[in-house]
Amino acid sequence: MDQIVKLAARVFNVPTSLLSFLDEDTQWFAAQTGFDPCGTTRDLSFCAHALDSAEILVVADARADDRFRSNALVTSDPFIRFYAGAPLVTSKGHILGTLCIIDTLPREDFSAEDRETLQAMANLAMDQLELNRSAEMQKAALCLNQTSPDAIIHIDAGGMIMYANRAARTIFGYQEDELVNSPIDKLLPVKLQKKMAAVVRKFRASRSEFLSFTPIEAIGLHKSAGEIPIEFSAGIWASNKSFCMGVIVRDIEERKRREASFEMLFDRNPIPMWIFDAGSLDFLAINDAACALYGYTRPEALTKNALDMRPAEEREEIRATIKDFGDFYQSERPGTHVAADGGLLRVLTFARRLRHNNKDCVVVANVDVTERDMAQNQLASTEIFLNAVVESIPSMVFVKDAASGKFVLLNKAGERLLGTRREDLIGKSDFDLFDVKEAERFRKADEAVMALGELVTIENEPISTPAGMRSLRTQKIGVPDANGNPRYLLGISEDVTERLEVEQQNRHMSLHDILTDLPNRHSFQVGLDRQLASSEPFALIMIDLDRFKGINDTLGHQAGDELLRQIAREMVSVKGDQDIVARLGGDEFSVIHKLDGAGDASANKLADRLISVLAKPYIIDGHAVSIGCSLGIAISPGHGSTADVLIKRADLALYVAKSTGEGEARLFESSMETKADRERLLRGELQNALTNEQFHLDFQPIVDAETGKIVCCEALLRWNHPKLGSISPTEFIPAAEASGLIVSIGRWVLEQACNDASRWPSDVKVAVNLSPRQFSGFGLAASVAKALAVSGLTPDRLELEITESVFLSDTDDNIRVLNGLKSLGARIALDDFGTGYSSLAYLRKFSFDKLKIDRSFVTDVAVSDENLAIVRAIIGLGRSFSAIVTAEGVETNDQCDCLRVEGCDQLQGYLFSKPVASAELIPMLREAQSGQFTATCSAR
């Protein structure tokens, strides 16, 4: 610019040239030559007159011009005589100043050509000013682009990114070289691109130079985080017969978070509140408390505006108040509001301007003061409504200063928890309340929350209180100031100590037996899996109590429960330190025993201790009771490396121990599994044995001891399997009983035996063995009655043999069944007499027709005084109870002679006949009937 004024001075041969600008009071010079002052007052300015005329002003002689002759610039230094000034006019026609030339001599010869030259030079100066301004604007724009927190993106007509500032890369998560020359759809979803395309079409149709895109909230595409909330605005301008687009994107995630927090506080606030558009006054939001107070539903309320809530005569005044108040408004006295039903409310109003959903809005809190008592409480709640909400929360609420860590708020729940008054705590930090270590832990946690900038939940946070250590569930979040800097730390702490204790108790209960407090089956399984995973050798001991059911039946379940508790304590007292004793249910227990260096011997020693401690008398409700136990032992890894296999094999050993007798412990042997597999096979094959007619009956004669005649035949079940061959009853009868098939098999035996016996001589009876499993309900009596009816056999020819095991359970019910059978006319025999525990007691409970002496007493009866005494006693009992006595297993003449001498009524055994098929038996019976078959001791 200095070069232009110097050029003008040389061209027009004057001493002074100025580039002059005016403001309201002052003239100042952007460039000058031949004049030292940098400016003058406006009233001295020749330039002001040139601006008024908007044309070149020429003053040939200032002393002769009435406008200037008294001007200080004329009458004194610099003694202006000649002045010519050309206006500086912008491209839009605005006059900013003048390019002027000044001389101390008058000039009358300033021609039209001189005027054109001066104006051309003024235009040149204006062009230079425009260029300078453009350059400055470019610098400013570049600075703004680089420092703006908003993304600024330049897009060409093909949708390619030509420029993206640092904020664009930060907001969308890209590096410096990843955006330029990339398509815009890398950053903007299809929906927003469609809106941009619509604006482009509008721009092209308008044929205008520029078109702006109103800011909208939309979704942007972050490189790694996916969709992010943004505010989007754009401008389009013509460029080289095409167009370009500038896009401004603002990250509004934090704003959205604040809006969500505001809406949560707004919606849940107990103070009636609404938000309305500052321009239209239409309601944009209203909370439940306001709906309840004014009697509107939310949809109804949102059709109203702020004036609808006031009486008609006050609305214009209210409109003016809304227009004129500043950022905050508080009514000095209650105003009148109108409810939905027309009722009038007296309300104190608190209002604040804010931006809501991208609109200028007003949020209003209304306190109903219709009743004066309520007014004071509501007014206080409104002024400090946050405190009111905080005080009502049962959890501790606290606020700390982010910088100092000092408390600025604490609610009543916090006072109770910390055992201190808020007045004593406000202004102090954790270091004033807790020891250094605990305070430092809280400080570090607070700093981490502030650094993260989002809600953080801390579970089971320990804290020292006057009541002792407590556990808290704490949620913390940083609260920024207006500039987004950390200002406060808000925390809510719930005391979960009792809840954790309950949860711990529930966990304990879920893993322990309620009655004994021993680990339960689930806990046992977990412990077993853990022990197997350790690969250390251990023993699994399965325990079943003996005679426990009898305690329950005689002393009651409460006594049984107390006995289980005492037994549990005793088992725990003899286990190893690392052993686990568990109750699996009922009277079943288990021990996981860690083996010491002694190996299997360690398990055997523990088994001996358990048997010993469980065999001792226990005092229950003043009664001394004794039980025992049976144990099965499996060793890992020798007997199995999985839980299922170990449990199965320990159970097999337990089964063998129980069958051996009380107080036994058995270590698993492979033969046990072989036997069990055999029994399982037999149970499966038994399913089809009846259908496929694989069973048949053999009969063993029973002879009168005096006459030797056959008086009865015992039916004996035989099974010939097509593949397995002949299977012993000692194998398949237990399998049938275990599977429940014994009922249908026993029914077939009854029917077949009765049917065969119906073809025998009328003085020969048939004996059929009954299983204890057949004694259930009335099915047995019905089966017997049907067999007799179908076969035509008279009831007195049917003998039903039972063993003492029938009386081991449901004794009274089974005796009722026996009486029912006897009432049919059948005879009842007690088999294997003398081998049980309570044979004499059974004779008192039921009148048996026959007693059968077990073969174990018959074997040595001729040589053993003890066996002879037992046999003699049984024969005597039979006579006393009017029961026939039969001796089983008679195989020698000496046995036969001895039994005849003692007065035994009937004899059965291989001495007389082995079991034979029905076809072989009938000839024998015919011989007996004709007198040809007579069994005597001397004959054998």
Coordinates of all heavy atoms in Angstrom, one line a residue, residues 437-516:
K437 N -3.4 -45.9 54.6 CA -3.5 -46.9 53.6 C -4.8 -47.0 53.0 O -5.0 -47.0 51.8 CB -3.1 -48.2 54.3 CG -3.1 -49.4 53.3 CD -2.6 -50.7 54.0 CE -2.6 -51.8 53.0 NZ -2.2 -53.1 53.7
E438 N -5.9 -46.9 53.8 CA -7.2 -47.0 53.3 C -7.6 -45.7 52.5 O -8.2 -45.7 51.4 CB -8.2 -47.2 54.4 CG -9.7 -47.5 54.0 CD -10.5 -48.0 55.1 OE1 -10.1 -47.8 56.3 OE2 -11.6 -48.4 54.8
A439 N -7.2 -44.5 53.0 CA -7.4 -43.3 52.3 C -6.7 -43.2 51.0 O -7.3 -42.7 50.0 CB -7.0 -42.1 53.2
E440 N -5.5 -43.8 50.9 CA -4.8 -43.8 49.7 C -5.5 -44.7 48.6 O -5.5 -44.4 47.4 CB -3.3 -44.3 49.9 CG -2.4 -44.3 48.7 CD -2.2 -42.9 48.2 OE1 -2.3 -41.9 49.0 OE2 -1.8 -42.8 47.0
R441 N -6.0 -45.8 49.1 CA -6.8 -46.7 48.2 C -8.0 -45.9 47.6 O -8.3 -46.0 46.4 CB -7.3 -47.9 49.0 CG -8.2 -48.8 48.2 CD -8.3 -50.2 48.8 NE -8.7 -50.1 50.2 CZ -10.0 -50.0 50.6 NH1 -10.9 -50.0 49.7 NH2 -10.3 -50.0 51.9
F442 N -8.7 -45.2 48.4 CA -9.9 -44.4 47.9 C -9.4 -43.3 47.0 O -10.0 -43.1 45.9 CB -10.6 -43.7 49.1 CG -11.3 -44.7 50.0 CD1 -11.4 -44.6 51.3 CD2 -12.0 -45.8 49.4 CE1 -12.1 -45.5 52.2 CE2 -12.6 -46.7 50.2 CZ -12.7 -46.6 51.6
R443 N -8.3 -42.7 47.3 CA -7.8 -41.6 46.4 C -7.4 -42.1 45.0 O -7.8 -41.5 44.0 CB -6.5 -40.9 47.0 CG -6.0 -39.7 46.2 CD -4.7 -39.2 46.8 NE -3.6 -40.2 46.6 CZ -3.0 -40.5 45.4 NH1 -3.3 -39.7 44.4 NH2 -2.1 -41.4 45.3
K444 N -6.7 -43.3 45.0 CA -6.4 -43.8 43.7 C -7.6 -44.3 42.9 O -7.7 -44.1 41.7 CB -5.4 -45.0 43.9 CG -4.1 -44.6 44.4 CD -3.2 -45.9 44.5 CE -1.7 -45.5 45.0 NZ -0.9 -46.7 45.1
A445 N -8.6 -44.8 43.6 CA -9.8 -45.2 42.9 C -10.5 -44.0 42.3 O -11.1 -44.0 41.2 CB -10.7 -46.0 43.9
D446 N -10.6 -42.9 43.1 CA -11.2 -41.7 42.6 C -10.5 -41.1 41.4 O -11.1 -40.7 40.4 CB -11.2 -40.6 43.7 CG -12.1 -41.0 44.9 OD1 -12.9 -41.9 44.7 OD2 -12.0 -40.3 45.9
E447 N -9.2 -41.1 41.4 CA -8.4 -40.6 40.2 C -8.7 -41.5 39.0 O -8.8 -40.9 37.9 CB -6.9 -40.6 40.6 CG -6.5 -39.5 41.6 CD -5.0 -39.6 41.9 OE1 -4.4 -40.6 41.5 OE2 -4.6 -38.7 42.6
A448 N -8.8 -42.8 39.2 CA -9.0 -43.6 38.0 C -10.4 -43.3 37.4 O -10.6 -43.3 36.2 CB -9.0 -45.1 38.5
V449 N -11.4 -43.1 38.3 CA -12.7 -42.7 37.8 C -12.7 -41.4 37.0 O -13.3 -41.3 35.9 CB -13.7 -42.6 39.0 CG1 -15.1 -42.1 38.5 CG2 -13.9 -44.0 39.6
M450 N -12.1 -40.4 37.5 CA -12.0 -39.1 36.9 C -11.3 -39.3 35.5 O -11.7 -38.6 34.5 CB -11.3 -38.1 37.7 CG -12.0 -37.8 39.1 SD -13.7 -37.2 38.8 CE -13.4 -35.7 37.9
A451 N -10.2 -40.1 35.5 CA -9.5 -40.3 34.2 C -10.3 -41.0 33.2 O -10.2 -40.7 32.0 CB -8.2 -41.0 34.5
L452 N -11.1 -41.9 33.6 CA -11.9 -42.7 32.7 C -13.1 -41.9 32.1 O -13.4 -42.1 30.9 CB -12.5 -44.0 33.4 CG -13.1 -45.0 32.5 CD1 -12.1 -45.6 31.5 CD2 -13.7 -46.2 33.4
G453 N -13.7 -41.0 32.9 CA -14.7 -40.2 32.4 C -16.0 -40.9 32.2 O -16.9 -40.4 31.4
E454 N -16.3 -42.0 32.8 CA -17.6 -42.6 32.7 C -17.9 -43.3 34.0 O -17.1 -43.4 34.9 CB -17.6 -43.7 31.6 CG -16.6 -44.8 31.7 CD -16.5 -45.7 30.5 OE1 -16.6 -45.2 29.4 OE2 -16.5 -46.9 30.7
L455 N -19.2 -43.8 34.1 CA -19.6 -44.5 35.4 C -18.8 -45.7 35.7 O -18.6 -46.6 34.8 CB -21.1 -44.8 35.3 CG -21.7 -45.4 36.5 CD1 -21.8 -44.4 37.6 CD2 -23.1 -46.0 36.2
V456 N -18.3 -45.8 36.9 CA -17.5 -47.0 37.3 C -18.2 -47.6 38.5 O -18.6 -46.9 39.5 CB -16.1 -46.6 37.7 CG1 -15.3 -47.8 38.3 CG2 -15.4 -46.0 36.5
T457 N -18.4 -48.9 38.5 CA -19.0 -49.7 39.6 C -17.9 -50.5 40.3 O -17.1 -51.2 39.7 CB -20.1 -50.6 39.1 OG1 -21.1 -49.8 38.5 CG2 -20.7 -51.4 40.3
I458 N -17.8 -50.3 41.6 CA -16.8 -51.1 42.4 C -17.6 -52.0 43.4 O -18.4 -51.6 44.2 CB -15.9 -50.1 43.3 CG1 -15.3 -49.1 42.4 CG2 -14.9 -50.9 44.1 CD1 -14.6 -48.0 43.1
E459 N -17.4 -53.3 43.2 CA -18.2 -54.3 43.9 C -17.4 -54.7 45.2 O -16.1 -54.8 45.2 CB -18.4 -55.6 43.1 CG -19.2 -55.4 41.8 CD -20.7 -55.1 42.1 OE1 -21.1 -55.2 43.3 OE2 -21.4 -54.8 41.1
N460 N -18.1 -54.9 46.3 CA -17.5 -55.4 47.5 C -16.3 -54.5 48.0 O -15.3 -55.1 48.3 CB -17.1 -56.8 47.4 CG -18.3 -57.7 46.9 OD1 -19.5 -57.4 47.1 ND2 -18.0 -58.8 46.3
E461 N -16.5 -53.2 48.0 CA -15.4 -52.3 48.4 C -15.4 -52.3 50.0 O -16.4 -51.9 50.6 CB -15.7 -50.9 47.9 CG -14.6 -50.0 48.2 CD -14.9 -48.6 47.6 OE1 -16.1 -48.2 47.5 OE2 -13.9 -47.9 47.3
P462 N -14.3 -52.7 50.6 CA -14.2 -52.7 52.1 C -14.1 -51.2 52.6 O -13.4 -50.4 52.0 CB -13.0 -53.5 52.4 CG -12.1 -53.4 51.2 CD -13.1 -53.2 50.0
I463 N -14.7 -51.0 53.7 CA -14.5 -49.6 54.3 C -14.6 -49.8 55.9 O -15.4 -50.6 56.4 CB -15.6 -48.7 53.8 CG1 -15.4 -47.3 54.4 CG2 -17.0 -49.2 54.2 CD1 -16.3 -46.2 53.7
S464 N -13.8 -49.0 56.6 CA -13.8 -49.0 58.0 C -14.9 -48.1 58.5 O -14.9 -46.9 58.1 CB -12.4 -48.6 58.6 OG -11.4 -49.5 58.1
T465 N -15.7 -48.5 59.4 CA -16.7 -47.7 60.0 C -16.7 -47.9 61.5 O -16.1 -48.9 62.0 CB -18.1 -48.0 59.5 OG1 -18.6 -49.3 60.0 CG2 -18.1 -48.1 58.0
P466 N -17.4 -47.1 62.3 CA -17.5 -47.3 63.8 C -18.1 -48.7 64.1 O -17.9 -49.2 65.2 CB -18.3 -46.1 64.2 CG -18.1 -45.1 63.2 CD -17.9 -45.8 61.9
A467 N -18.9 -49.2 63.2 CA -19.6 -50.5 63.4 C -18.7 -51.6 62.9 O -19.1 -52.8 63.0 CB -20.9 -50.5 62.7
G468 N -17.5 -51.3 62.5 CA -16.6 -52.4 62.0 C -16.4 -52.3 60.5 O -16.9 -51.4 59.8
M469 N -15.8 -53.3 59.9 CA -15.6 -53.3 58.5 C -16.9 -53.6 57.8 O -17.6 -54.5 58.2 CB -14.6 -54.4 58.1 CG -13.1 -54.0 58.5 SD -12.5 -52.5 57.8 CE -12.5 -53.0 56.0
R470 N -17.2 -52.9 56.8 CA -18.4 -53.1 56.0 C -18.0 -53.2 54.5 O -16.9 -52.9 54.1 CB -19.4 -51.9 56.1 CG -19.7 -51.4 57.5 CD -20.5 -52.5 58.3 NE -21.8 -52.6 57.8 CZ -22.7 -53.5 58.3 NH1 -22.4 -54.3 59.3 NH2 -23.9 -53.6 57.8
S471 N -18.9 -53.8 53.7 CA -18.7 -54.0 52.3 C -19.7 -53.1 51.5 O -20.9 -53.1 51.8 CB -18.9 -55.5 51.9 OG -17.9 -56.3 52.5
L472 N -19.2 -52.4 50.6 CA -20.0 -51.5 49.8 C -20.0 -51.8 48.3 O -19.1 -52.4 47.8 CB -19.5 -50.0 49.9 CG -19.3 -49.4 51.3 CD1 -18.8 -48.0 51.2 CD2 -20.6 -49.5 52.1
R473 N -21.1 -51.5 47.7 CA -21.2 -51.5 46.3 C -21.3 -50.1 45.8 O -22.3 -49.4 46.1 CB -22.4 -52.3 45.7 CG -22.5 -52.3 44.2 CD -23.8 -53.1 43.7 NE -23.7 -53.3 42.3 CZ -24.2 -52.4 41.4 NH1 -24.8 -51.3 41.8 NH2 -24.2 -52.7 40.1
T474 N -20.2 -49.6 45.3 CA -20.1 -48.1 45.0 C -20.1 -47.8 43.5 O -19.4 -48.5 42.8 CB -18.7 -47.6 45.6 OG1 -18.8 -47.8 47.1 CG2 -18.6 -46.1 45.3
Q475 N -20.9 -46.8 43.2 CA -20.9 -46.3 41.8 C -20.4 -44.9 41.8 O -20.9 -44.1 42.6 CB -22.3 -46.4 41.2 CG -22.7 -47.8 40.9 CD -24.1 -47.9 40.2 OE1 -25.0 -47.4 40.7 NE2 -24.1 -48.5 39.0
K476 N -19.4 -44.6 41.0 CA -18.8 -43.3 40.9 C -18.7 -42.8 39.5 O -18.6 -43.5 38.6 CB -17.3 -43.3 41.5 CG -17.2 -43.7 42.9 CD -15.7 -43.7 43.3 CE -15.5 -44.1 44.8 NZ -14.1 -44.1 45.2
I477 N -18.9 -41.4 39.4 CA -18.7 -40.8 38.1 C -18.2 -39.4 38.2 O -18.5 -38.7 39.2 CB -20.1 -40.8 37.3 CG1 -19.9 -40.4 35.9 CG2 -21.1 -39.9 38.0 CD1 -21.2 -40.6 35.0
G478 N -17.4 -39.0 37.3 CA -16.9 -37.6 37.3 C -17.9 -36.6 36.8 O -18.6 -36.9 35.8
V479 N -18.0 -35.5 37.4 CA -19.0 -34.4 37.0 C -18.1 -33.2 36.5 O -17.4 -32.6 37.3 CB -19.9 -34.0 38.1 CG1 -20.9 -32.9 37.6 CG2 -20.7 -35.2 38.6
P480 N -18.2 -32.9 35.2 CA -17.3 -31.8 34.7 C -18.0 -30.5 34.9 O -19.2 -30.3 35.2 CB -17.3 -32.1 33.2 CG -18.6 -32.8 32.9 CD -18.9 -33.6 34.1
D481 N -17.1 -29.4 34.8 CA -17.7 -28.1 34.9 C -18.2 -27.6 33.5 O -18.2 -28.4 32.5 CB -16.6 -27.1 35.4 CG -15.4 -27.1 34.5 OD1 -15.4 -27.5 33.4 OD2 -14.3 -26.6 35.0
A482 N -18.5 -26.4 33.3 CA -19.1 -25.9 32.1 C -18.1 -26.0 30.9 O -18.5 -26.1 29.8 CB -19.5 -24.4 32.2
N483 N -16.8 -26.0 31.2 CA -15.8 -26.2 30.2 C -15.4 -27.6 29.9 O -14.4 -27.8 29.2 CB -14.5 -25.3 30.6 CG -14.9 -23.9 30.7 OD1 -15.6 -23.3 29.9 ND2 -14.3 -23.2 31.8
G484 N -16.0 -28.5 30.6 CA -15.7 -29.9 30.4 C -14.6 -30.4 31.2 O -14.1 -31.6 31.1
N485 N -14.0 -29.6 32.1 CA -12.9 -30.0 33.0 C -13.5 -30.7 34.2 O -14.5 -30.4 34.7 CB -12.1 -28.8 33.4 CG -11.5 -28.1 32.2 OD1 -11.0 -28.7 31.3 ND2 -11.6 -26.8 32.2
P486 N -12.7 -31.7 34.8 CA -13.2 -32.4 36.0 C -13.4 -31.4 37.1 O -12.6 -30.6 37.5 CB -12.0 -33.3 36.3 CG -11.3 -33.5 35.0 CD -11.4 -32.2 34.3
R487 N -14.6 -31.5 37.7 CA -15.0 -30.6 38.8 C -15.3 -31.3 40.1 O -14.8 -31.0 41.1 CB -16.2 -29.7 38.4 CG -16.5 -28.7 39.4 CD -15.4 -27.6 39.5 NE -15.7 -26.7 40.6 CZ -15.3 -26.8 41.8 NH1 -14.5 -27.8 42.2 NH2 -15.5 -25.9 42.7
Y488 N -16.2 -32.3 40.0 CA -16.6 -33.0 41.1 C -16.6 -34.5 40.9 O -16.6 -35.0 39.7 CB -18.1 -32.6 41.5 CG -18.2 -31.2 41.9 CD1 -18.9 -30.3 41.1 CD2 -17.7 -30.7 43.2 CE1 -19.1 -29.0 41.5 CE2 -17.9 -29.4 43.5 CZ -18.5 -28.5 42.7 OH -18.7 -27.2 43.0
L489 N -16.6 -35.3 41.9 CA -16.7 -36.7 41.9 C -18.0 -37.1 42.7 O -18.1 -36.8 43.9 CB -15.5 -37.4 42.5 CG -15.7 -39.0 42.5 CD1 -15.3 -39.6 41.2 CD2 -14.8 -39.6 43.6
L490 N -19.0 -37.7 42.0 CA -20.2 -38.1 42.6 C -20.2 -39.6 42.9 O -19.8 -40.3 42.0 CB -21.4 -37.8 41.7 CG -22.8 -38.4 42.1 CD1 -23.3 -37.8 43.4 CD2 -23.8 -38.1 41.0
G491 N -20.5 -40.0 44.1 CA -20.5 -41.4 44.4 C -21.8 -41.8 45.2 O -22.3 -41.0 46.0
I492 N -22.2 -43.0 44.9 CA -23.3 -43.6 45.6 C -22.9 -45.0 46.1 O -22.5 -45.8 45.3 CB -24.6 -43.8 44.8 CG1 -25.0 -42.4 44.2 CG2 -25.7 -44.4 45.5 CD1 -26.2 -42.5 43.3
S493 N -22.9 -45.2 47.4 CA -22.4 -46.4 48.0 C -23.5 -47.1 48.8 O -24.1 -46.5 49.7 CB -21.2 -46.1 49.0 OG -20.1 -45.6 48.3
E494 N -23.8 -48.3 48.4 CA -24.8 -49.2 49.1 C -24.1 -50.1 50.0 O -23.2 -50.8 49.6 CB -25.6 -49.9 48.0 CG -26.7 -50.8 48.6 CD -27.4 -51.7 47.6 OE1 -27.0 -51.6 46.4 OE2 -28.3 -52.5 48.0
D495 N -24.5 -50.2 51.2 CA -24.0 -51.1 52.2 C -24.6 -52.5 51.9 O -25.7 -52.7 52.1 CB -24.3 -50.7 53.6 CG -23.6 -51.5 54.7 OD1 -23.0 -52.6 54.3 OD2 -23.6 -51.2 55.9
V496 N -23.7 -53.4 51.4 CA -24.2 -54.7 51.0 C -23.6 -55.8 51.9 O -23.6 -57.0 51.6 CB -23.8 -55.0 49.5 CG1 -24.4 -54.1 48.6 CG2 -22.2 -54.9 49.4
T497 N -23.2 -55.4 53.1 CA -22.6 -56.3 54.1 C -23.6 -57.5 54.4 O -23.2 -58.7 54.3 CB -22.2 -55.6 55.4 OG1 -21.4 -54.5 55.0 CG2 -21.4 -56.6 56.3
E498 N -24.8 -57.1 54.8 CA -25.8 -58.1 55.2 C -26.2 -59.0 54.0 O -26.3 -60.2 54.1 CB -27.0 -57.5 55.8 CG -26.9 -57.0 57.2 CD -26.1 -55.8 57.3 OE1 -26.0 -55.0 56.3 OE2 -25.5 -55.5 58.4
R499 N -26.3 -58.3 52.8 CA -26.6 -59.1 51.6 C -25.6 -60.1 51.3 O -25.8 -61.2 50.9 CB -26.8 -58.1 50.4 CG -27.4 -58.8 49.2 CD -27.6 -57.9 48.0 NE -26.3 -57.6 47.4 CZ -26.1 -56.6 46.5 NH1 -27.0 -55.8 46.2 NH2 -24.8 -56.5 46.0
L500 N -24.3 -59.7 51.4 CA -23.2 -60.6 51.1 C -23.2 -61.8 52.1 O -22.9 -62.9 51.7 CB -21.9 -59.9 51.2 CG -21.6 -58.8 50.0 CD1 -20.3 -58.1 50.3 CD2 -21.6 -59.5 48.7
E501 N -23.5 -61.4 53.4 CA -23.6 -62.5 54.4 C -24.7 -63.5 54.1 O -24.5 -64.7 54.2 CB -23.8 -61.9 55.8 CG -22.6 -61.1 56.3 CD -22.9 -60.4 57.6 OE1 -24.0 -60.4 58.0 OE2 -21.9 -59.8 58.2
V502 N -25.8 -63.0 53.6 CA -26.9 -63.9 53.2 C -26.5 -64.7 52.0 O -26.8 -65.9 52.0 CB -28.2 -63.0 52.9 CG1 -29.3 -63.9 52.3 CG2 -28.7 -62.4 54.2
E503 N -25.9 -64.0 51.0 CA -25.4 -64.8 49.9 C -24.4 -65.9 50.3 O -24.4 -67.0 49.7 CB -24.8 -63.8 48.9 CG -25.8 -62.9 48.2 CD -25.2 -61.9 47.3 OE1 -23.9 -61.8 47.3 OE2 -25.9 -61.1 46.6
Q504 N -23.5 -65.5 51.2 CA -22.5 -66.5 51.7 C -23.2 -67.6 52.4 O -22.9 -68.8 52.2 CB -21.5 -65.8 52.6 CG -20.5 -66.8 53.2 CD -19.6 -67.4 52.1 OE1 -19.4 -66.9 51.1 NE2 -19.2 -68.7 52.4
Q505 N -24.3 -67.3 53.2 CA -25.0 -68.3 53.9 C -25.7 -69.2 52.9 O -25.8 -70.4 53.0 CB -26.0 -67.7 54.8 CG -26.8 -68.7 55.7 CD -27.7 -68.0 56.6 OE1 -27.8 -66.8 56.7 NE2 -28.5 -68.8 57.4
N506 N -26.3 -68.6 51.8 CA -27.0 -69.3 50.8 C -26.1 -70.2 50.1 O -26.4 -71.4 49.7 CB -27.7 -68.4 49.8 CG -28.9 -67.7 50.5 OD1 -29.4 -68.2 51.5 ND2 -29.3 -66.6 49.9
R507 N -24.9 -69.7 49.8 CA -23.9 -70.5 49.1 C -23.5 -71.7 50.0 O -23.3 -72.9 49.5 CB -22.6 -69.7 48.8 CG -22.8 -68.8 47.5 CD -21.4 -68.3 47.1 NE -20.8 -67.4 48.0 CZ -21.1 -66.1 48.0 NH1 -21.8 -65.6 47.1 NH2 -20.5 -65.3 48.9
H508 N -23.3 -71.4 51.3 CA -23.0 -72.5 52.2 C -24.1 -73.6 52.2 O -23.8 -74.8 52.2 CB -22.8 -72.0 53.6 CG -22.4 -73.0 54.6 ND1 -21.1 -73.4 54.8 CD2 -23.2 -73.7 55.5 CE1 -21.1 -74.4 55.8 NE2 -22.3 -74.5 56.2
M509 N -25.4 -73.1 52.3 CA -26.5 -74.0 52.4 C -26.6 -74.8 51.1 O -27.0 -76.0 51.1 CB -27.8 -73.2 52.6 CG -27.9 -72.6 54.0 SD -29.4 -71.6 54.2 CE -30.6 -72.8 54.1
S510 N -26.3 -74.2 49.9 CA -26.4 -74.9 48.7 C -25.3 -76.0 48.6 O -25.5 -76.9 47.8 CB -26.2 -73.9 47.5 OG -24.9 -73.4 47.4
L511 N -24.3 -75.9 49.4 CA -23.2 -76.9 49.3 C -23.1 -77.8 50.5 O -22.3 -78.6 50.6 CB -21.8 -76.1 49.2 CG -21.7 -75.3 47.9 CD1 -20.4 -74.5 47.9 CD2 -21.7 -76.3 46.7
H512 N -24.0 -77.6 51.5 CA -24.0 -78.3 52.7 C -25.4 -78.9 53.1 O -26.4 -78.3 52.8 CB -23.5 -77.5 53.9 CG -22.0 -77.2 53.8 ND1 -21.5 -76.2 52.9 CD2 -20.9 -77.7 54.4 CE1 -20.2 -76.1 53.0 NE2 -19.8 -77.0 53.9
D513 N -25.3 -80.0 53.7 CA -26.5 -80.7 54.2 C -27.1 -79.9 55.4 O -26.4 -79.5 56.3 CB -26.2 -82.1 54.7 CG -27.4 -82.8 55.3 OD1 -28.4 -82.8 54.6 OD2 -27.3 -83.3 56.4
I514 N -28.4 -79.6 55.3 CA -29.1 -78.7 56.3 C -29.0 -79.4 57.7 O -28.8 -78.7 58.7 CB -30.5 -78.4 55.9 CG1 -30.5 -77.6 54.6 CG2 -31.2 -77.7 57.0 CD1 -31.9 -77.2 54.1
L515 N -29.2 -80.7 57.7 CA -29.3 -81.4 59.0 C -28.0 -81.5 59.7 O -27.9 -81.2 60.8 CB -30.0 -82.8 58.7 CG -30.2 -83.7 60.0 CD1 -31.1 -83.0 60.9 CD2 -30.6 -85.1 59.6
T516 N -27.0 -82.0 59.0 CA -25.7 -82.3 59.6 C -24.6 -81.2 59.4 O -23.6 -81.3 60.0 CB -25.2 -83.6 59.1 OG1 -24.9 -83.5 57.7 CG2 -26.2 -84.7 59.3

